Amino acid sequence: MRGQCEREIKLARRAKKHTVAFLLSGGRVELRNIKRGKYFRIVADVYVDGKSLTKSLLNAGLGYPYGGKKKKTWC
């Protein structure tokens, strides 16, 4: 799915680069709290050397907590 506006597309690219760099920055990648999501996809918390990818994305302003409600727009 494409972004809805140029800002959303740029933020998505930054989030991807951030994620790749985070995963390559450490040695040990862990998946915690592994389960199946709403559409039977695998959902897990990702940690690299004990550091949370979720917290890193939130702190960088590249994500927001999902509570199961309507999608937030970045536009």
Side-chain angles (χ1 to χ4, degrees):
M1 180 176 175
R2 296 278 307 167
Q4 295 181 8
C5 65
E6 191 63 31
R7 179 174 183 266
E8 188 174 63
I9 293 167
K10 286 180 182 180
L11 285 169
R13 287 182 181 141
R14 281 185 49 209
K16 179 183 176 183
K17 287 180 183 179
H18 183 92
T19 299
V20 170
F22 188 86
L23 291 172
L24 294 175
S25 71
R28 182 176 179 171
V29 177
E30 291 179 71
L31 300 179
R32 300 180 189 172
N33 304 317
I34 302 169
K35 58 187 171 195
R36 292 283 181 172
K38 181 178 177 180
Y39 299 103
F40 208 62
R41 298 176 185 139
I42 295 176
V43 178
D45 296 324
V46 179
Y47 287 80
V48 175
D49 293 334
K51 298 175 189 165
S52 168
L53 173 59
T54 299
K55 286 184 182 179
S56 181
L57 285 165
L58 290 173
N59 290 339
L62 298 172
Y64 63 91
Y66 176 70
K69 300 200 179 194
K70 186 177 179 181
K71 179 184 168 192
K72 176 181 173 182
T73 181
W74 294 91
C75 298

